[in-house]
Amino acid sequence: MQASTPVLPEAARRFAAWCAVLLLLAGVLYVGIRLVVEFRTAVVPVLLALLGTALLGPLHRRLVKAGVHRSVAAGLTCVAVVAVVGGAVYIVVAALIDTGDEIVASLKEAARGASEHFGAAGTSLDDLASNARELLRKFGGTAASGVISGVSVVGESIAMAVLALLLVFFFLRDSDKAAGTLRSLAPRGSADTLEAMARRALRAVEGFMRGTTLIALIDALCITVGLLVLDVPGAAGLGALVFVGAYIPYLGAFISGALAVLVALADRGFVIALWVLGVVAAVQVLEGHVLQPMIQSRTVQMHPAVVMVTITAGASVAGVLGMLLAVPLTAAAFGVVQELRTRFGEQEPPASGPSSQEA
C-alpha cells in the first residue's frame, strides 16, 4: 500500500512544532513568575543572597586560602558588606538631606519664573498651595492608609534584607558543599550536565557582578571628582548614588545623573549645571565605549536591546527590585544556554547513507 501524503508540508510542521514549544515555555515561565510573586518574601532574599555570594565569593575564597576558618571568613565578609552598604546609604541620605531645601527652593523659583513668563491664570504658587491643601483635606484618609501600607512595605523590605544577609553567610560558608548537594539531587545520568550548567550560570553572574562593580566604582570616582572640581555640594553622596545606581543599567545612571544636575542647578546655577551635565555625559560615553567592552566583554555579552527589554520586564514584575535582579538573572540564563549549546549543539548528526556492510 502507498503511504499517505502528509497534509502539511515539512516546513509548516516544523513551524507548528516550534510554536508549540514556545507556547509551552511561555506557559511555564508565566506560572514560574506568578509563583515567584506569590512567594516573593522567600524567593527575593534567596536571589539577593545568590547575587551577593557571586560578588563576595572571591573575597571569601582569599580569606580561606589565607588560613581563616570558613565560618569566620563568611562572617567577616558579611560585616564588610554591611559596613560598605550602610556607609553608602548614610552618605547618600545625608547628602540629599543637606541639599533637599536647595533643590526645593530652585524648583519653586523655576515654577515662579514659568508662571510669570506665561502669565496663565490659576498657576501661581498660592493657587497651587491652596489646591494642594484642598486635596490633602479630601483625601487625608487615603493618604493615611497609604502611609500605613508604606510602613509595612519598609518592614517587609528590612526583614528580607536581614534574611538575605544571613543566607549570604550560609552560602559562603557552605559553598564547598554546593556541587555535591546538587549532584545528589540531580536525576540519574544528568549530574555532570546539571553541575556544568550551574557552574556556567554562576560564572556568568560573577562576571556580571564583578564587572558592574568595577565600572560603577570608576563612574562614581570620575563623577565625584568632577563635582568636587565644580564645587557642587554633596559630591560624595552623589558619587555614592552613582555607584548604587550603576547596578540598574541605563535607568540608574539616568536617575543619578539627573539628580546631580539638579543639585548643581539648585546651588551653583545654570552654567555649572550644564558643566555637570557634560561631566555625566562624558562618563557615560567612557563607560559605553571603553569600560563595558574592556571589562565585561570577556564575561557577559548582552545586546543593549536585550538589557532594556529585560529591565522593563523586571520592572513590570517587581518594580525597582525586579530591575535590579533582571539583568544578572538573564546573564545566568545566557550562561546556561551557552553551556547547553556547547554540550549538545555542536554534536554532528550521524551520517546517512547505505550501510557499509554487505549482506
Side-chain angles (χ1 to χ4, degrees):
M1 294 180 62
Q2 186 177 3
S4 59
T5 305
V7 178
L8 295 176
E10 180 69 18
R13 285 187 282 124
R14 289 184 178 181
F15 179 75
W18 276 109
C19 289
V21 171
L22 291 177
L23 288 175
L24 179 61
L25 290 176
V28 172
L29 183 62
Y30 176 78
V31 173
I33 291 175
R34 297 304 305 174
L35 290 175
V36 168
V37 172
E38 290 295 328
F39 298 100
R40 63 184 181 276
T41 54
V43 175
V44 170
V46 173
L47 296 177
L48 291 176
L50 289 175
L51 295 184
T53 305
L55 178 62
L56 303 172
L59 175 60
H60 179 261
R61 289 192 291 268
R62 289 185 179 182
L63 291 175
V64 172
K65 288 182 180 179
V68 182
H69 191 270
R70 297 191 65 90
S71 298
V72 177
L76 292 176
T77 306
C78 292
V79 169
V81 170
V82 171
V84 172
V85 174
V89 172
Y90 174 78
I91 292 174
V92 171
V93 173
L96 294 180
I97 291 176
D98 291 340
T99 58
D101 294 338
E102 297 174 355
I103 294 175
V104 173
S106 66
L107 291 177
K108 287 183 178 180
E109 185 65 27
R112 183 179 294 108
S115 62
E116 292 176 356
H117 178 74
F118 293 103
T123 58
S124 65
L125 294 178
D126 295 335
D127 293 337
L128 292 177
S130 62
N131 292 333
R133 285 193 295 268
E134 183 67 20
L135 290 175
L136 187 61
R137 184 184 63 81
K138 288 183 178 180
F139 301 103
T142 305
S145 63
V147 169
I148 296 174
S149 176
V151 171
S152 65
V153 169
V154 170
E156 181 180 315
S157 301
I158 294 175
M160 289 192 296
V162 172
L163 178 58
L165 183 63
L166 294 176
L167 290 176
V168 168
F169 171 80
F170 290 117
F171 288 169
L172 289 174
R173 190 192 67 178
D174 302 328
S175 57
D176 57 331
K177 305 175 184 177
T181 303
L182 187 63
R183 294 182 69 89
S184 64
L185 297 175
R188 180 176 301 178
S190 62
D192 293 338
T193 302
L194 188 60
E195 182 182 354
M197 291 167 55
R199 290 185 181 278
R200 180 66 73 93
L202 181 60
R203 284 199 301 269
V205 176
E206 284 184 349
F208 172 81
M209 295 299 292
R210 288 199 303 267
T212 302
T213 302
L214 182 56
I215 292 173
L217 182 60
I218 296 174
D219 288 353
L221 289 176
C222 292
I223 291 181
T224 301
V225 170
L227 295 178
L228 289 174
V229 171
L230 295 173
D231 196 20
V232 176
L238 293 172
L241 185 62
V242 170
F243 178 82
V244 175
Y247 287 95
I248 304 177
Y250 304 114
L251 183 61
F254 173 78
I255 294 176
S256 58
L259 185 59
V261 173
L262 189 60
V263 171
L265 179 65
D267 186 79
R268 301 283 290 150
F270 182 74
V271 176
I272 299 298
L274 287 180
W275 277 102
V276 172
L277 179 61
V279 170
V280 173
V283 171
Q284 294 306 312
V285 171
L286 175 67
E287 174 186 340
H289 291 81
V290 178
L291 299 180
Q292 289 280 358
M294 288 180 58
I295 296 175
Q296 285 194 338
S297 61
R298 300 179 182 179
T299 56
V300 179
Q301 282 186 327
M302 287 189 293
H303 195 275
V306 176
V307 175
M308 287 187 287
V309 171
T310 301
I311 293 174
T312 304
S316 64
V317 173
V320 177
L321 190 60
M323 291 188 291
L324 177 65
L325 295 173
V327 179
L329 292 181
T330 305
F334 271 49
V336 172
V337 171
Q338 290 175 359
E339 180 63 30
L340 292 177
R341 290 184 61 185
T342 302
R343 285 180 166 264
F344 305 107
E346 298 178 355
Q347 296 180 358
E348 294 291 338
S352 59
S355 175
S356 57
Q357 298 181 353
E358 295 181 358

